[in-house]
Amino acid sequence: MELLDLLSRRRMVRAYTDAPVTAAQLARITSAGSRAPSAGAAQGQRFVIVTSPEVISALADAANEEHYTARGYPAWLSSAPAHIAVCVDPTAYAERYRRDDKKTSAVADEATGEWAVPYWWVDAGASLMAILLAAVDEGLASGFLGAHAIPDAKRILSIPDEVEFVGLVTVGHPAPEAPRPPTRRGVGVSDAIVHHDVWTT
Ligand SMILES: Cc1cc2nc3c(=O)[nH]c(=O)nc-3n(C[C@H](O)[C@H](O)[C@H](O)COP(=O)(O)O)c2cc1C
């Protein structure tokens, strides 16, 4: 599929049919996530592919799915046949930028150690987008639930302490009753996003 076509078809889908996704599809989708750029080629992105019904169910519980279904929303996490946890390891960046070819890069404040831009979040976002688009390219649909909404995810997925959990991508075949996304409800694409030559207000 052409990139612009993929971009316009992608939307967050929050309800799925019980049609399965294959291991090969999930491998191609996560492979797309691995191809995203990373600062200094640190490759700190990490993914956990989840297809175990027990683990999916535990994640849905941790996200308090019942609270939403009780209010009439369709089941989201538990309806998806697969989840991909998007994670990133900040220690990979610290390690990479200590190497000889990078140690003079002023990525972090010398006194505080604070990064001008914590690039691991940028790279996680790049991988997230590649994953969402690759799912569409497979003829599937995907959604993203941020880490804040699943406080227990790291424990459920045994993600190491030093690794950041960014959120959960749900992958599957869209349910016909899947709610329309905000963009289709008339929110549209903000005209505040792009500026020319200089920032205009
Ligand atoms: C970093 C990030 C966090 C998000 N967190 C949530 C979330 O916790 N729950 C949710 O329903 N959607 C979440 N979304 C999806 C956005 O609400 C969605 O992308 C936005 O409304 C635009 O809709 P579209 O992606 O279908 O075009 C998140 C998206 C991003 C990029």
Side-chain angles (χ1 to χ4, degrees):
M1 211 181 288
E2 294 293 328
L3 178 61
L4 288 178
D5 200 21
L6 267 181
L7 284 163
S8 63
R9 278 168 191 250
R10 187 214 58 77
R11 61 191 180 91
M12 296 298 181
V13 168
R14 300 181 177 89
Y16 302 89
T17 70
D18 54 12
V21 297
T22 68
Q25 286 177 312
L26 291 171
R28 285 193 292 271
I29 291 167
T30 43
S31 163
S34 313
R35 290 209 183 107
S38 63
Q43 298 191 335
Q45 299 101 322
R46 307 282 181 266
F47 314 120
V48 183
I49 300 174
V50 183
T51 54
S52 151
E54 291 75 29
V55 181
I56 286 175
S57 171
L59 289 166
D61 288 349
N64 213 358
E65 183 172 272
E66 252 179 41
H67 175 74
Y68 293 94
T69 51
R71 288 159 63 201
Y73 291 102
W76 175 5
L77 265 53
S78 65
S79 71
H83 295 178
I84 299 169
V86 176
C87 310
V88 69
D89 183 357
T91 66
Y93 296 80
E95 194 272 325
R96 175 67 187 101
Y97 280 87
R98 270 198 303 268
R99 293 233 188 114
D100 283 350
D101 64 325
K102 283 286 179 199
K103 65 185 177 199
T104 55
S105 306
V107 283
D109 183 275
E110 264 186 42
T112 64
E114 197 178 323
W115 283 54
V117 175
Y119 285 140
W120 45 95
W121 301 124
V122 178
D123 297 352
S127 285
L128 168 63
M129 188 60 168
I131 286 171
L132 295 172
L133 291 176
V136 178
D137 200 40
E138 290 288 334
L140 301 168
S142 53
F144 182 70
L145 185 63
H148 68 278
I150 330 165
D152 219 15
K154 278 187 76 166
R155 185 193 59 76
I156 293 167
L157 298 171
S158 298
I159 294 167
D161 284 348
E162 70 276 15
V163 174
E164 299 282 359
F165 168 63
V166 178
L168 208 57
V169 176
T170 51
V171 181
H173 298 263
E177 71 276 17
R180 307 299 287 170
T183 43
R184 311 300 190 284
R185 290 202 303 258
V187 172
V189 175
S190 167
D191 60 9
I193 292 178
V194 181
H195 302 263
H196 293 275
D197 296 328
V198 293
W199 187 291
T200 44
T201 52

